[in-house]
Amino acid sequence: MIIELYLYDKFDKTALKILKLLDKVNLGFSVETFSKDLSVEEISKRTGETVRRLPLVFVDGRQIGRYYDLVELLTAKGYINYQGEVCQTKK
């Protein structure tokens, strides 16, 4: 699973939650940061997908959404349970 995060370069609580969750399940990921001054149109051009707001998570080249979308995906794939506890570490 290839995970890419697109974040603003300023602190964001949702971005922090995403980073903590991925660290907790021990999944590798890449991060690209953007200035808040950059328009969502320009960010959309760079990501190749329509972006309305950041942070945004892509998995295997597909936009999945934000924090809760990532939680749903990790739950469905068996990485975490519905309480957010780690079920197993996959590589």
Side-chain angles (χ1 to χ4, degrees):
M1 185 164 35
I2 299 169
I3 301 171
E4 302 164 287
L5 305 178
Y6 295 94
L7 315 170
Y8 285 119
D9 59 1
K10 303 285 185 203
F11 177 79
D12 179 280
K13 287 190 313 185
T14 303
L16 181 61
K17 286 171 65 173
I18 291 169
L19 293 167
K20 284 183 174 183
L21 177 59
L22 290 172
D23 183 57
K24 182 172 157 179
V25 295
N26 198 28
L27 288 172
F29 56 91
S30 64
V31 176
E32 186 168 348
T33 59
F34 298 96
S35 167
K36 282 255 190 194
D37 299 329
L38 202 60
S39 71
V40 290
E41 291 81 13
E42 185 60 34
I43 296 170
S44 294
K45 286 181 194 173
R46 291 192 190 179
T47 63
E49 295 269 346
T50 301
V51 173
R52 290 196 170 85
R53 62 184 177 163
L54 297 180
L56 197 56
V57 180
F58 282 69
V59 174
D60 296 331
R62 196 177 120 243
Q63 179 178 232
I64 63 153
R66 294 171 48 90
Y67 174 76
Y68 289 107
D69 302 301
L70 179 61
V71 168
E72 286 180 24
L73 177 78
L74 295 177
T75 302
K77 291 194 174 279
Y79 286 95
I80 59 174
N81 62 22
Y82 287 105
Q83 289 76 38
E85 299 162 337
V86 176
C87 294
Q88 58 188 330
T89 303
K90 295 183 178 183
K91 291 278 177 170

